Amino acid sequence: MLKAFDRDSVGEPSARDPLITLVELIEDLSAAHTVEQIAAVVRSAARRITGADGVAFVLREGDTCFYLDEDAIGPLWKGRRFPIGDCISGWAMLNGQVAVIPDIYRDDRIPHDAYRPTFVKSLVMTPVRPKDPLAAIGAYWATARRPTPDEVTKLEIIARATATALDSAQVYASLSEALERRKFLLRELDHRCKNTLAAVQSIADQTLRRATSPEHFVEAFNGRIGALGRAHELLTRGAWGDAKLSEVVGQALTPFCGVRGLRIAVSGPNVSLSPETAVAMHLTIHELAVNATKYGALSVEGGRLDVSWSADHAESALDFRWVERGGPPVKAPATRGFGSRLIEQGVAKELGGRSEMLFDPEGLQFQLRTPFSARISVA
């Protein structure tokens, strides 16, 4: 058991008393938030408390023992890793037992070659959290001696306090990570809200400029805002991660698939889009579908729409095609409105590619070619 601490000349506890150092150790461990801070507290305090010539703090890392830190009269193994089955710290952790070794050269558990360059002649290795060891504390002496029960008990107390500190550090790290994640999400939400509001403002401005009547403005504006909302709904279901191109196309065409029983074919490989690219692609497809419903293949019985895309692996690029057939004869408009500019420039600019609208008399075609990147890739 721990001895009662001494009193100095004025009746106060001696600053060098092991019990006082042990209390200070526990207090310091309660304020430590990282493994490195815990190791720094333990290595120095454990040496003062036990009177050892050296102390090492050893972490278990899978099948290895990592000698993270040390405080000793001579160099030990700081910064080195050893197989867990080849060192006494590994034995203590694997067996969940304290190893008390009066003479290291008379114990077969000791890798003698690793100890010969050091001052160590005897030691105590104490596992931290014996039932599920995650570290060990080694105390070393420069003479062959049997560590006393008092020294072993002190090291066990230090190990128990260390286990609690390591658990607290893990909780602290988790809370800190959660807080940082919350801050990141708030910044991301602010960014997305600003982007969405800017998009709404641009859509409203451009639609109003091109509207021929209040009714036309309401119809066009509501359709575009609806498309924007459906794109955001798709991304929300995926926690604003990457979206599949097939899902974006399907979501954008959903309002038009049932028009007069017309046939719409969609095909292509699995392609992933970043959130921003998914929104741009969704709005582009919406504008194409609106035009097709008003003037193109989706405006008459028997019309057909083929939407397809393919990967050009040789040039690391995506080819996207929109082909209408069976609709009224097509001719190029005299002027280009906001919708046409959005189709030709929006997603191509977003991806650094090129696009083109072809006014083929047999049906409108839209072609997009864009290089693969972090924003668009084959899944």
Side-chain angles (χ1 to χ4, degrees):
M1 298 298 294
L2 298 178
K3 298 178 181 178
F5 53 75
D6 298 327
R7 300 277 177 173
D8 61 17
S9 58
V10 293
E12 293 299 322
S14 169
R16 291 189 297 273
D17 187 273
L19 183 58
I20 296 301
T21 306
L22 182 59
V23 172
E24 292 172 346
L25 165 79
I26 295 173
E27 290 175 344
D28 290 341
L29 285 177
S30 68
H33 297 315
T34 68
V35 174
E36 290 76 15
Q37 290 173 347
I38 292 170
V41 170
V42 169
R43 65 176 174 80
S44 58
R47 186 180 173 192
R48 294 197 305 273
I49 291 168
T50 61
D53 295 315
V55 168
F57 188 91
V58 189
L59 279 179
R60 179 175 183 176
E61 293 185 344
D63 293 331
T64 64
C65 296
F66 174 45
Y67 282 71
L68 175 64
D69 208 348
E70 64 188 36
D71 185 346
I73 61 174
L76 293 169
W77 308 277
K78 182 176 179 179
R80 296 183 62 183
R81 289 174 171 81
F82 300 95
I84 197 167
D86 294 348
C87 56
I88 191 62
S89 57
W91 183 93
M93 286 189 276
L94 289 174
N95 291 275
Q97 299 178 25
V98 178
V100 180
I101 302 178
D103 187 343
I104 63 169
Y105 295 106
R106 293 178 178 271
D107 196 301
D108 293 337
R109 295 172 295 179
I110 298 293
H112 298 152
D113 289 343
Y115 277 75
R116 283 193 177 91
T118 73
F119 65 86
V120 179
K121 297 296 187 294
S122 58
L123 64 84
V124 174
M125 187 64 67
T126 308
V128 175
R129 201 171 67 188
K131 291 184 179 180
D132 183 20
L134 69 167
I137 300 170
Y140 310 93
W141 286 267
T143 58
R145 60 187 291 276
R146 176 171 290 278
T148 67
D150 184 63
E151 292 167 342
V152 175
T153 299
K154 290 173 181 176
L155 285 167
E156 289 178 321
I157 293 173
I158 294 170
R160 292 178 64 179
T162 302
T164 301
L166 288 171
D167 288 340
S168 298
Q170 185 176 9
V171 172
Y172 180 85
S174 297
L175 291 174
S176 297
E177 183 180 352
L179 181 60
E180 285 302 314
R181 176 65 176 168
R182 179 176 177 272
K183 291 179 179 178
F184 169 77
L185 290 175
L186 287 174
R187 291 194 298 268
E188 187 70 9
L189 178 62
D190 178 66
H191 171 71
R192 296 198 187 284
C193 285
K194 288 179 179 177
N195 279 355
T196 301
L197 290 174
V200 171
Q201 184 177 16
S202 176
I203 290 172
D205 180 59
Q206 296 292 336
T207 305
L208 183 60
R209 289 184 184 183
R210 300 291 176 174
T212 56
S213 66
E215 292 76 16
H216 178 262
F217 168 78
V218 171
E219 178 185 3
F221 181 72
N222 285 345
R224 287 162 181 160
I225 294 301
L228 184 63
R230 288 190 296 275
H232 282 208
E233 179 185 352
L234 174 64
L235 294 172
T236 300
R237 290 204 303 267
W240 277 85
D242 287 354
K244 293 181 179 179
L245 178 55
S246 58
E247 293 177 340
V248 173
V249 172
Q251 182 84 337
L253 290 177
T254 294
F256 309 95
C257 287
V259 178
R260 301 178 187 174
L262 300 173
R263 298 179 63 193
I264 300 178
V266 178
S267 63
N270 195 1
V271 171
S272 292
L273 306 177
S274 70
E276 293 79 7
T277 301
V279 171
M281 182 64 80
H282 195 289
L283 292 175
T284 298
I285 296 169
H286 171 79
E287 291 298 325
L288 285 165
V290 168
N291 288 341
T293 303
K294 288 184 176 181
Y295 316 112
L298 302 187
S299 67
V300 297
E301 289 285 354
R304 178 180 176 82
L305 168 62
D306 288 300
V307 182
S308 63
W309 57 93
S310 60
D312 184 343
H313 295 287
E315 296 190 13
S316 188
L318 177 80
D319 288 307
F320 179 89
R321 294 173 293 276
W322 171 288
V323 180
E324 299 178 29
R325 288 292 182 263
V330 174
K331 61 180 181 179
T335 59
R336 301 291 180 92
F338 171 62
S340 296
R341 295 202 307 276
L342 177 61
I343 292 169
E344 290 188 297
Q345 301 174 15
V347 72
K349 183 178 180 180
E350 171 76 23
L351 295 172
R354 62 181 186 273
S355 61
E356 184 180 14
M357 290 179 70
L358 302 175
F359 295 93
D360 187 331
E362 295 185 4
L364 177 71
Q365 296 183 36
F366 169 72
Q367 298 177 356
L368 167 69
R369 183 175 177 84
T370 180
F372 289 126
S373 64
R375 296 188 174 191
I376 181 167
S377 61
V378 177

